[in-house]
Amino acid sequence: MSEQMEILQGYVNDMLAVEHEIHQAFSRQKHSDKSAIHPEAAQLIARIEDTIDRHIAELQRALERLGGSESALKRAVGTALGMIAGLVDQVRDETVSRMVRDDLAAL
C-alpha cells in the first residue's frame, strides 16, 4: 500500500473517531430531560443525530473502499472522551440553549 493511501486511511479514521464522539454528545442530549421540555430543540437534536449517523456510515464505507478498517484504538479513545464529556455534562447545569450552542460549535 502506498504511503498516500495510508495517510488517507488515517485521515478518514480520525474523522470517524470525531463523528463517533460528536454522536455520543447528541445522543446524550436527545435523551436528556432538559431537551424533552423543548420540542423544537429536541427535533433539531434528533435531526442532527440522524445526519451524524449518515456521516458515520459513509465514512465507514469510504474506509472500506480504501482497504482499511476502523481503528480500535481511536474508537476506544473517542469513547473514553465521550464518557468524560458525559460526566462533565452531569455536573454542570446546562440549559437547552447552551446545549444547542455547543452543538453548533461542534459541527
Side-chain angles (χ1 to χ4, degrees), residues 4-77:
Q4 290 175 336
M5 191 62 74
E6 287 179 19
I7 290 170
L8 187 55
Q9 285 178 0
Y11 289 156
V12 173
N13 244 319
D14 290 346
M15 197 61 229
L16 192 52
V18 168
E19 291 285 344
H20 278 301
E21 187 176 341
I22 292 172
H23 184 270
Q24 287 178 0
F26 279 96
S27 181
R28 278 191 309 274
Q29 290 175 4
K30 183 172 130 179
H31 300 292
S32 166
D33 294 338
K34 294 174 185 172
S35 64
I37 59 176
H38 298 282
E40 297 88 5
Q43 288 175 352
L44 175 62
I45 290 168
R47 284 197 339 254
I48 293 170
E49 185 187 27
D50 290 343
T51 300
I52 293 170
D53 286 337
R54 288 192 302 276
H55 289 177
I56 289 171
E58 285 296 324
L59 286 166
Q60 288 170 333
R61 285 193 285 278
L63 194 55
E64 288 174 14
R65 285 192 305 269
L66 292 169
S69 60
E70 191 171 350
S71 168
L73 176 62
K74 288 180 183 181
R75 177 87 189 243
V77 169

